[in-house]
Amino acid sequence: MRIIPRILCCCMLLPLAAVSQQQQKKNGNFHLQMRRASSPVKIDGVIDEQAWKDAGITTGFHMVLPMDTSAARLRTDVRMTYDQQYIYLLVENYTEGDGPYMVESLRRDFAFLKNDNFLLFMDPFDDQTNGFSFGANAAGAQWDGLMYDGGKVDLSWDNKWTSVVKNYPDKWVFEAAIPFKTIRYKKGITTWGINFSRNDLKSTEKSAWAPVPRQFATASLAYTGNLDWDAPPPDAGPNISLIPYLLGGISKDYEKGAPAKYRRDAGLDAKVAVTSSLNLDLTVNPDFSQVDVDKQVTNLDRFELFFPERRQFFLENGDQMSNFGYANIRPFFSRRIGLGVPIHFGARLSGKLNKNWRLGVMNMQTGRQEESGLPAQNFTVAALQRRVFSRSNLGFIFINKESLNYDPSRVTDKTVYSRYNRNMGLEYNLASSNNFWTGKALLLKSYSPGKSGHDFVHAANLQYTSKVWNISWQHEYVGRNYNAEVGYVPRQGYIKLMPQVTRLFFPLSGAVLSHGPQVTATYITDEKFSRTDNETMLNYGIVFRKRNTLNIWASDTYIRLLQPFDPTNTRKDSMLTGSEHSWRTVGADYVSRPQSLFTYSLSARYGGYYGGGKRLMTNAELGYRFQPYVSIALSANYNHIQLPQPWGTNSFWLVGPRLDVTMTNTLFFTGFMQYNEQQKNINLNTRFQWRYRPASDLFIVYTDNYLPEPFYVRNRALVLKLVYWFNI
């Protein structure tokens, strides 16, 4: 095992060397003057106030796509001003040619690449790591989110602000008022990081005020310019919000023949600004009935599938906890909290202590479950992050799950419901000043009753991204006794090595914007270095100037089963532990250009499978928009698997039509169905949402589950929920 610590040390030293020479902010010479408003501002999309005539203005955006070597073709003018309560933003987005603006719908937090839109990226601490994003599409749908990791946007964040979009023959105007109470910032800082991004589908142009290399998202905070205040931003003052809800509902389980159950419930969320940059969130008896159900998949995997968190309380400002680790090494996964049991109350303190320190602490209390003997449980998570070098950081996390009044004689599954489980970890996140070098080094240890030795994790990755090269290396070690009961670590007892190389070519003209090969190798052994899995994949990708994409790939796979496995997940039989399987696969993926009213993506794969079998998989996602009010989508997945007996030939359909109706930017209806042949279930879900005032909603949610053969109701539920947000 000596080789793994050596690899870890090397991968930690390389990132440190990459940032040893700190550089100045890349776009530090871009400045926008922020002056106090000389008159009241009305948010109406009309530029007739004296305040806008006197405000600082910037123009001259830079093209990011299709090329990043010239000025933007489309003109975009941005003005900003402020008063004692609000930051004001006014944007004139000039257009070329006739025809409608391209938007998906009026739904909040739209898909960036499928809409004509304008976005603001704001970094109040100017640390090039964390911030806020606000924006709108050309039809007036709002976008807002928390920024983290130097350029990612968490769109689950939802707060109070107002905006209007007004269309003119030659432009569309976006005007917004963002309350100081809505954002977090340190008093006295008079230079904020800022950038503006615009996406125009008709011209296929993406541009930014401060230039951003094309290989990075325009949200990259490493490339922000400066917002220069004429005076320190005003104190937001006391900032306490109460968000109560009332709920009524009815549900019935037809499979069990149980009588209908009626729900009458109430709860409360509260947001308290402890300081101008540190926030306390409280919840009592939370309810998540309005959250979208999980998107179903055909499960042919050997390990537990990952379904993302959708509950807003856990998503808001939770990146410091939830992003610790890697995709398959997550010491904290909030979906483990309140899984099939009620959450009584919870609290989270999160935010910036100063420019260099960031804090996140959460405590949640769940109730007991009589059927399984699961006791009441308490969950505590604490994360502390320290900025180092120009944009990197060092983080620490502690996770504790404690069962209260634990009686082992009543617990049916002691591997999941143990008396306690604890995890501690350190993580170094690299982000060089120009974002070309990124990476992570991780060390975790777990503490559980009856488990010791081989109970730690270490992993590291390093990635270099230029315009033509993307080169990365990642390795992982997870001990066989490592236990993260509040995390997502589907596999233990392995060592993994994964290098990847991509090379891009850019033709000077023609329909193709870029193309190039990618090679990925994945090699996995057990703790004794005996091979268990390996896969080599060659992919050739093409990006067209109209933004449609094509990928063609081939792979070679080897797997040695570590436990019995049913390759169809139909419980017919299992292949033996230790059996070896290898096959080759070819596949292709195509995504149509986003500016069309009819969009689609197609993918297919064909090749070998376990036990010398064959597998064909096809997938299609079709969409049509009657912009901006109606969007129709259909996804269809088909798997055809041929195996020796007792499995034989198996076919699985997974079909999911969806309808989105956005009558206004405050009135929404969503309906979708999911037919899962493998699970023999049909799910129907509809949701009506009326945002009757900023951040206050009425929800009506109806859910059905059916057996497809014979068509029989399993269960159904109807919920009405009213949420009201008011400030104290």
Side-chain angles (χ1 to χ4, degrees):
M1 290 301 297
R2 293 179 181 177
I3 186 172
I4 297 300
R6 289 175 182 173
I7 294 175
L8 177 65
C9 291
C10 291
C11 285
M12 291 183 71
L13 289 173
L14 282 172
L16 288 171
V19 295
S20 59
Q21 295 181 346
Q22 298 187 47
Q23 302 179 29
Q24 296 296 320
K25 187 174 177 178
K26 287 298 175 182
N27 288 326
N29 58 331
F30 283 78
H31 296 269
L32 174 60
Q33 300 301 317
M34 185 68 151
R35 306 187 188 102
R36 182 177 284 270
S38 58
S39 72
V41 176
K42 182 181 179 181
I43 306 302
D44 56 6
V46 179
I47 313 172
D48 57 358
E49 295 96 342
Q50 185 64 37
W52 290 129
K53 297 178 182 178
D54 298 335
I57 182 171
T58 187
T59 186
F61 275 44
H62 296 79
M63 188 185 295
V64 178
L65 290 175
M67 298 302 292
D68 59 359
T69 55
S70 66
R73 288 172 46 214
L74 298 179
R75 176 182 165 190
T76 308
D77 294 348
V78 181
R79 295 175 174 89
M80 293 187 73
T81 187
Y82 73 99
D83 60 21
Q84 193 63 28
Q85 293 181 301
Y86 297 95
I87 295 173
Y88 297 102
L89 172 70
L90 183 111
V91 187
E92 295 174 89
N93 299 279
Y94 289 87
T95 58
E96 290 181 353
D98 298 324
Y101 300 115
M102 304 303 299
V103 296
E104 218 176 358
S105 69
L106 294 169
R107 179 165 295 281
R108 192 184 188 95
D109 297 332
F110 46 82
F112 174 82
L113 292 177
K114 295 182 179 181
N115 292 263
D116 291 348
N117 63 73
F118 176 91
L119 301 181
L120 156 71
F121 305 115
M122 185 163 53
D123 178 7
F125 280 82
D126 201 22
D127 62 3
Q128 304 173 64
T129 305
N130 302 285
F132 301 87
S133 180
F134 298 91
N137 70 11
Q142 290 185 331
W143 156 299
D144 56 3
L146 287 175
M147 302 191 66
Y148 64 97
D149 278 3
K152 298 176 182 176
V153 183
D154 176 10
L155 294 175
S156 64
W157 183 74
D158 194 3
N159 222 304
K160 297 180 72 172
W161 61 290
T162 57
S163 67
V164 166
V165 165
K166 189 173 179 64
N167 291 293
Y168 296 87
D170 62 336
K171 65 184 177 182
W172 58 276
V173 173
F174 168 49
E175 189 172 18
I178 304 167
F180 283 105
K181 289 179 181 290
T182 292
I183 61 176
R184 301 287 174 263
Y185 56 95
K186 193 70 173 179
K187 291 186 293 185
I189 298 179
T190 57
T191 299
W192 293 8
I194 201 163
N195 207 353
F196 310 106
S197 172
R198 182 179 173 190
N199 189 49
D200 186 86
L201 290 177
K202 285 182 292 183
S203 64
T204 68
E205 179 178 270
K206 182 171 74 167
S207 58
W209 169 57
V212 180
R214 55 166 294 130
Q215 68 267 31
F216 303 126
T218 48
S220 177
L221 296 179
Y223 291 91
T224 54
N226 298 310
L227 181 66
D228 298 323
W229 296 75
D230 60 356
D235 189 348
N239 190 355
I240 301 175
S241 300
L242 298 180
I243 314 166
Y245 78 84
L246 294 173
L247 180 146
I250 181 173
S251 62
K252 185 174 175 62
D253 192 327
Y254 290 87
E255 269 192 314
K256 295 181 179 179
K261 294 182 179 179
Y262 294 89
R263 290 186 63 190
R264 303 174 185 85
D265 219 340
L268 175 69
D269 288 349
K271 296 178 177 292
V272 181
V274 179
T275 70
S276 61
S277 57
L278 193 64
N279 201 67
L280 175 65
D281 291 277
L282 305 170
T283 186
V284 178
N285 193 31
D287 168 81
F288 307 105
S289 57
Q290 81 277 11
V291 174
D292 277 344
V293 299
D294 290 320
K295 184 177 181 181
Q296 297 189 29
V297 297
T298 300
N299 185 5
L300 300 172
D301 204 283
R302 291 183 293 154
F303 304 101
E304 178 191 11
L305 296 177
F306 178 82
F307 292 96
E309 176 63 88
R310 297 179 181 274
R311 298 170 294 178
Q312 192 167 356
F313 180 85
F314 293 102
L315 289 171
E316 284 189 0
N317 212 21
D319 65 276
Q320 198 175 352
M321 304 171 188
S322 60
N323 290 321
F324 206 99
Y326 292 96
N328 290 320
I329 305 177
R330 301 173 187 260
F332 175 69
F333 180 38
S334 58
R335 282 189 68 137
R336 304 296 190 200
I337 301 175
L339 188 64
V341 297
I343 298 175
H344 289 331
F345 55 84
R348 181 181 62 237
L349 179 68
S350 58
K352 301 274 288 187
L353 300 176
N354 54 42
K355 187 173 183 176
N356 292 323
W357 287 95
R358 193 167 176 235
L359 174 70
V361 180
M362 183 171 69
N363 185 270
M364 305 294 294
Q365 179 66 48
T366 64
R368 62 179 293 112
Q369 187 183 54
E370 295 294 340
E371 294 179 1
S372 64
L374 175 65
Q377 294 183 316
N378 184 266
F379 300 83
T380 300
V381 187
L384 186 64
Q385 196 176 85
R386 174 66 160 88
R387 180 189 179 198
V388 294
F389 303 112
S390 58
R391 299 180 58 242
S392 304
N393 62 70
L394 184 66
F396 167 80
I397 196 168
F398 172 75
I399 305 153
N400 181 62
K401 187 195 80 171
E402 197 83 25
S403 296
L404 309 180
N405 301 317
Y406 180 75
D407 183 358
S409 65
R410 298 193 60 193
V411 177
T412 57
D413 189 351
K414 296 182 177 62
T415 62
V416 177
Y417 304 142
S418 59
R419 184 167 61 86
Y420 69 86
N421 175 248
R422 300 182 184 110
N423 267 257
M424 296 178 65
L426 286 172
E427 181 178 86
Y428 170 66
N429 289 285
L430 162 73
S432 64
S433 60
N434 61 6
N435 216 41
F436 276 51
W437 290 93
T438 57
K440 177 181 290 191
L442 172 71
L443 181 63
L444 296 167
K445 189 178 189 312
S446 66
Y447 303 85
S448 301
K451 290 188 177 182
S452 61
H454 299 273
D455 56 359
F456 68 98
V457 170
H458 54 76
N461 81 292
L462 182 64
Q463 179 170 295
Y464 172 76
T465 305
S466 70
K467 291 183 180 181
V468 298
W469 288 102
N470 187 307
I471 304 172
S472 67
W473 164 274
Q474 181 168 328
H475 81 264
E476 303 171 3
Y477 165 73
V478 179
R480 61 179 177 270
N481 287 327
Y482 177 73
N483 185 24
E485 293 181 16
V486 198
Y488 175 79
V489 186
R491 184 170 182 170
Q492 290 82 31
Y494 74 90
I495 300 166
K496 176 180 177 181
L497 307 177
M498 191 176 76
Q500 184 180 90
V501 178
T502 305
R503 174 66 161 92
L504 292 178
F505 301 92
F506 296 89
L508 296 178
S509 61
V512 174
L513 177 63
S514 66
H515 62 93
Q518 179 184 81
V519 180
T520 305
T522 305
Y523 189 85
I524 302 176
T525 74
D526 60 22
E527 291 180 288
K528 296 180 180 179
F529 296 99
S530 176
R531 183 180 66 155
T532 62
D533 308 67
N534 72 264
E535 181 177 71
T536 303
M537 177 178 286
L538 173 63
N539 177 84
Y540 203 93
I542 304 172
V543 178
F544 298 90
R545 292 188 186 273
K546 294 294 185 179
R547 299 196 190 176
N548 45 325
T549 61
L550 173 65
N551 287 281
I552 303 171
W553 57 270
S555 66
D556 184 88
T557 304
Y558 165 84
I559 290 176
R560 173 165 58 88
L561 292 178
L562 304 178
Q563 56 190 10
F565 174 61
D566 177 1
T568 63
N569 265 330
T570 55
R571 301 180 182 177
K572 290 182 179 179
D573 200 354
S574 295
M575 293 182 172
L576 298 177
T577 299
S579 60
E580 296 181 293
H581 310 266
S582 60
W583 62 81
R584 292 176 178 173
T585 310
V586 294
D589 308 281
Y590 179 78
V591 179
S592 68
R593 58 184 190 175
Q595 57 267 46
S596 300
L597 294 178
F598 173 66
T599 58
Y600 59 93
S601 64
L602 305 171
S603 62
R605 57 173 289 169
Y606 178 75
Y609 199 53
Y610 293 92
K614 296 291 183 181
R615 178 188 175 193
L616 167 69
M617 188 279 290
T618 61
N619 189 78
E621 295 190 7
L622 314 176
Y624 192 86
R625 52 191 177 193
F626 301 89
Q627 59 179 27
Y629 302 110
V630 179
S631 175
I632 302 173
L634 172 66
S635 62
N637 178 273
Y638 174 71
N639 276 273
H640 182 78
I641 300 173
Q642 293 178 310
L643 288 166
Q645 294 299 330
W647 298 279
T649 300
N650 298 265
S651 296
F652 302 122
W653 277 100
L654 181 65
V655 181
R658 181 185 180 100
L659 171 67
D660 278 291
V661 181
T662 56
M663 291 151 272
T664 69
N665 60 4
T666 61
L667 204 60
F668 315 108
F669 173 81
T670 300
F672 64 92
M673 186 208 51
Q674 298 182 96
Y675 167 58
N676 190 327
E677 187 175 8
Q678 185 187 42
Q679 299 298 322
K680 295 181 171 57
N681 187 68
I682 297 175
N683 171 256
L684 175 67
N685 184 273
T686 63
R687 183 179 63 181
F688 172 83
Q689 178 185 359
W690 174 31
R691 175 146 289 190
Y692 57 91
R693 58 175 297 159
S696 300
D697 299 281
L698 171 69
F699 296 98
I700 302 175
V701 182
Y702 177 75
T703 304
D704 259 349
N705 282 287
Y706 299 91
L707 279 169
E709 296 178 7
F711 193 71
Y712 178 79
V713 180
R714 282 178 155 174
N715 52 70
R716 58 176 40 142
L718 175 67
V719 170
L720 186 147
K721 181 178 180 181
L722 182 68
V723 181
Y724 185 81
W725 180 314
F726 62 91
N727 295 325
I728 298 179

